[in-house]
Amino acid sequence: PQISRFVRSSANSFDDETKRSDPHYQRTLEVLTLSWAKRQKVRLWYRSAANGVVKEHVFCPYFIETAAVGQAIYVIGQIEPEDVQRTYRLERIERIELIPSYYSLPDDFDSDALFSQAWGIWYSDQEPVTVRLCFSSAVAKRVRETRWHLSESVEPLEDGELLWKAEIAEPREMVPWIRGWGCDVEVLEPAWLRERIADEAKWTAALYENQTEE
């Protein structure tokens, strides 16, 4: 059942031509799926997105999830010997192999609960953060056409703008989505997210000003 559920939710990712023609990607996915189904540990070599360093770990896959943005596949599980939970992106796994050792899922592991307040695949042990956004009248209707998060609520304002609110586990994951609305959205809270988007707007403006001067 868990494999069936994963395949149904990942149909778009599997249909990506570049991934279907990549034998390394296909083999990595096959080994991970087999490991997950049989509860058999794997040894993998993972490349860090931050510094490019490749580290070797024994890994116990708990759940495989597909992110809607970018059609990327992620696997959540426990690494040994550190005994800490990690989320790995499949494309960054340089090498993987099954090993003759098995594991059990923790009794308290609940994938539905884990992602219930996530924007995508980022989750947190901390309390979710209240995110409030104000969308302009130009995009308010388009925003209301889609339910972006299970916890969201929307409130039409008198001038046609839309107040959007949700409880998000890791708001940093929302940044590309917020950025995509450009000047048609204003971050009201949290303050650090408002500051980050404001800073990015200044950097973008400066970039274009420099090009104009040249």
Side-chain angles (χ1 to χ4, degrees):
Q2 66 180 354
I3 301 300
S4 175
R5 174 185 173 188
F6 167 63
V7 171
R8 286 197 304 271
S9 68
S10 308
N12 288 335
S13 184
F14 290 146
D15 199 38
D16 187 315
E17 178 63 33
T18 60
K19 294 177 180 178
R20 283 190 282 118
S21 61
D22 183 347
H24 174 72
Y25 180 90
Q26 287 294 314
R27 182 182 180 280
T28 301
L29 180 59
E30 290 170 2
V31 173
L32 270 178
T33 306
L34 184 61
S35 166
W36 184 35
K38 297 176 64 177
R39 298 286 187 266
Q40 185 172 350
K41 297 179 183 180
V42 294
R43 187 180 306 278
L44 59 77
W45 288 257
Y46 189 77
R47 172 174 44 84
S48 169
N51 54 28
V53 173
V54 177
K55 291 187 177 181
E56 176 185 345
H57 295 287
V58 171
F59 186 66
C60 307
Y62 289 174
F63 190 71
I64 302 176
E65 176 78 354
T66 300
V69 178
Q71 298 183 340
I73 294 179
Y74 294 82
V75 58
I76 297 93
Q78 199 85 353
I79 61 171
E80 297 177 354
E82 293 86 351
D83 288 330
V84 293
Q85 196 163 293
R86 287 286 185 268
T87 300
Y88 287 150
R89 179 167 173 154
L90 189 143
E91 288 87 345
R92 297 190 189 121
I93 298 176
E94 298 285 329
R95 179 182 166 193
I96 187 171
E97 58 188 34
L98 288 167
I99 61 176
S101 181
Y102 294 83
Y103 67 94
S104 299
L105 281 179
D107 293 336
D108 59 353
F109 181 79
D110 184 341
S111 59
D112 290 333
L114 190 67
F115 293 105
S116 63
Q117 292 173 318
W119 179 253
I121 57 90
W122 290 17
Y123 56 89
S124 173
D125 294 332
Q126 306 300 317
E127 288 296 315
V129 177
T130 298
V131 176
R132 292 174 66 246
L133 309 174
C134 182
F135 288 93
S136 74
S137 57
V139 299
K141 182 177 179 181
R142 186 147 51 97
V143 173
R144 296 193 68 176
E145 288 175 346
T146 300
R147 185 171 179 81
W148 302 97
H149 195 267
L150 291 175
S151 69
E152 76 173 49
S153 63
V154 294
E155 178 186 343
L157 302 178
E158 291 183 0
D159 54 5
E161 293 181 332
L162 186 72
L163 183 63
W164 185 94
K165 177 182 176 182
E167 303 296 321
I168 307 297
E170 277 285 1
R172 287 177 300 164
E173 196 176 17
M174 298 180 68
V175 169
W177 180 74
I178 295 173
R179 189 189 296 133
W181 292 99
C183 62
D184 284 312
V185 65
E186 178 186 0
V187 178
L188 302 179
E189 65 173 299
W192 64 263
L193 182 58
R194 178 183 175 87
E195 183 177 348
R196 172 165 177 176
I197 297 298
D199 286 343
E200 288 193 1
K202 293 175 185 176
W203 298 332
T204 301
L207 174 65
Y208 283 96
E209 287 173 1
N210 292 336
Q211 290 180 349
T212 301
E213 292 173 0
E214 294 175 359

